[in-house]
Amino acid sequence: MNGPSPGGEGERVVEQASAWVESPLQMLCAVEAHHAGLLGPTTAVVPRAGLRPLKATRRELRRLGLPEGLELAEPREQMPRRVQAVGDAFSGKVQLRWLISNPGRIVIVDDGLATIRLLELLAAGPRRPLLRARAQPTKLRAVLGLAAALRLRLSKVSVFTALDVDKDLEDGVRRAGVDLVRHDFAWLRAQPPSAEGPAERTVVLGTSLVRNGLVHRDRYLRWLTDLASQEPVAYYPHRREDPVDVALIRERPGITVHDAGAPAELTLRGLDSGQRVLSLPSTAITSLRVLLSPRGVAVEPVDVPEDWWTSRAAPALRSHLTGVSG
C-alpha cells in the first residue's frame, strides 16, 4: 500500500473540533458554522443533556442529512475539555472553561438576542464584564465575567450570526479585534423543504416575554383570543414559555398548538405563499425572513402596545427589542 499508514510518520493528524450547544438555535448555527468552514474539516456538536428541545432538534437535523465531517454527538452533562465553539458566552461554566483551557481560537455561534448583547460588550472594550442583561451578579461572578472578557481579548474570536448588525456596532466589534462572520443559513436553505406546514394561514410564534415578566399575561392572551376569533391560528410555543400559559392558549377556540420542540427555522420551512408568520419582538423574525421570504411567506413583527409592558421592561430594553426585530 502506498503512502503513510494511519498514525505513521508524515501523516497530519486533524483534531476534531467540538461545539457545545445548549439551545436549538445554537445547535442549528453550529451546523451552519461547520458548513461554512469555521470549525475545520471535522466537528462534533455536543448538546447539553436533559434538554427536550435539543433532542427534537437533533432528531430533525439527522433526518435532513448532516454536512460531511459533522457529527451530532450524544448529549453530555459536562462540556468537553477543549471546546472551540459555544453559543452562550455568558455562561459561567463556559467562561471558566475558557480561563483554564486557553482555547486560543473561539467561535461563538448565534444565540438570538444574547448575541447582540455580546457584540455590544465586545465593542465597548475589555473592561466590560461579560454578564447577561439585567443580571445582578455577585462580586465573584462579576470578576469571572471580566476575566472572560480579557481572555477573549487575548484570543482569536469569531462571532457567527445571521442577525442584522448596525454598522456602527459592526465597526466597533471589528476594532476590538473580533471577526464578525455573517451567514444566511446556506446549508439549511439547500435542504429539501420540510414536511407540509400547518393548514392555518396565520402562524404565531410564542414568546418568552410573558414568562420573563416583561409583558402582561392577560394582554397577550387577549390579543391571541381576538386574533383567533377572526381566523384560525397555528401557535408554536417558545421553548421557555410557561407550560401553564401554553395550556391556557390550547383551550382558546380557533388556536391549534403545535409542540414542535425544534426551532422555527427548521419546523416552518414548509410554509407556502399566502401564509404569514406573526411574532412579538424576536430575533427569529430576521432568520425566518431569510428562509421564508423566497417562498412568498410574510414574516411580520407585532408591535407591543404601551399598556402590554410591565414595570420591569425599562425603556432602553423596549427600544432594544424593537430594534433587533424590526
Side-chain angles (χ1 to χ4, degrees):
M1 180 182 294
N2 294 327
S5 60
E9 184 179 354
E11 182 179 12
R12 179 173 177 267
V13 178
V14 178
E15 181 182 355
Q16 185 182 51
S18 293
W20 173 252
V21 297
E22 301 177 88
S23 78
L25 180 59
Q26 290 176 27
M27 181 178 283
L28 175 57
C29 289
V31 174
E32 291 286 353
H34 171 84
H35 175 74
L38 262 68
L39 303 178
T42 62
T43 304
V45 178
V46 184
R48 179 181 167 187
L51 300 178
R52 188 175 66 86
L54 285 181
K55 292 181 181 179
T57 304
R58 185 166 170 257
R59 183 171 58 249
E60 179 64 14
L61 288 171
R62 280 182 164 173
R63 189 189 66 78
L64 289 174
L66 299 171
E68 183 178 354
L70 186 132
E71 171 197 356
L72 288 182
E74 292 298 317
R76 291 176 51 171
E77 293 285 350
Q78 301 295 329
M79 292 174 58
R81 185 173 297 275
R82 286 185 60 82
V83 61
Q84 288 74 33
V86 299
D88 187 359
F90 299 115
S91 163
K93 289 183 178 180
V94 168
Q95 293 178 0
L96 185 60
R97 183 55 53 89
W98 283 341
L99 296 182
I100 64 177
S101 67
N102 188 21
R105 182 168 184 269
I106 298 169
V107 176
I108 301 170
V109 297
D110 211 337
D111 193 27
L113 187 59
T115 302
I116 297 296
R117 164 78 173 172
L118 173 66
L119 293 175
E120 291 170 346
L121 292 174
L122 292 175
R127 298 190 181 279
R128 293 290 300 276
L130 299 185
L131 298 170
R132 302 185 196 281
R134 298 184 292 125
Q136 297 180 334
T138 63
K139 188 173 295 187
L140 184 61
R141 184 65 187 84
V143 169
L144 177 59
L146 180 58
L150 293 172
R151 165 60 73 195
L152 291 190
R153 177 67 67 164
L154 299 174
S155 304
K156 180 175 175 55
V157 179
S158 299
V159 178
F160 184 74
T161 180
L163 295 175
D164 293 326
V165 179
D166 177 86
K167 188 178 186 307
D168 289 341
L169 177 56
E170 182 173 347
D171 290 344
V173 169
R174 297 194 189 281
R175 283 195 299 270
V178 175
D179 188 18
L180 183 61
V181 182
R182 310 294 295 283
H183 76 94
D184 59 358
F185 295 97
W187 173 78
L188 184 58
R189 288 189 295 106
Q191 304 311 303
S194 59
E196 203 172 292
E200 294 84 357
R201 186 183 79 93
T202 294
V203 175
V204 175
L205 297 186
T207 181
S208 63
L209 295 178
V210 172
R211 188 169 197 172
N212 291 341
L214 302 176
V215 163
H216 288 290
R217 175 178 288 100
D218 60 338
R219 268 69 155 198
Y220 180 64
L221 294 179
R222 187 180 308 138
W223 169 71
L224 284 174
T225 302
D226 291 345
L227 183 64
S229 70
Q230 302 168 37
E231 60 177 322
V233 169
Y235 190 83
Y236 285 76
H238 191 279
R239 65 186 177 88
R240 290 198 299 270
E241 204 161 348
D242 191 326
V244 174
D245 290 344
V246 176
L248 290 173
I249 292 167
R250 196 185 300 274
E251 294 174 356
R252 296 301 199 266
I255 301 179
T256 301
V257 175
H258 296 260
D259 296 319
E265 290 83 0
L266 284 173
T267 57
L268 296 182
R269 292 186 307 118
L271 295 183
D272 293 320
S273 61
Q275 291 182 288
R276 62 173 182 163
V277 178
L278 304 181
S279 175
L280 267 63
S282 168
T283 53
I285 292 171
T286 298
S287 53
L288 287 177
R289 280 176 172 164
V290 170
L291 292 165
L292 296 179
S293 292
R295 296 177 62 89
V297 179
V299 181
E300 305 170 10
V302 176
D303 293 332
V304 179
E306 271 309 304
D307 66 335
W308 284 25
W309 296 111
T310 70
S311 59
R312 296 177 63 180
L317 177 61
R318 301 179 193 184
S319 175
H320 183 52
L321 288 168
T322 301
V324 299
S325 60

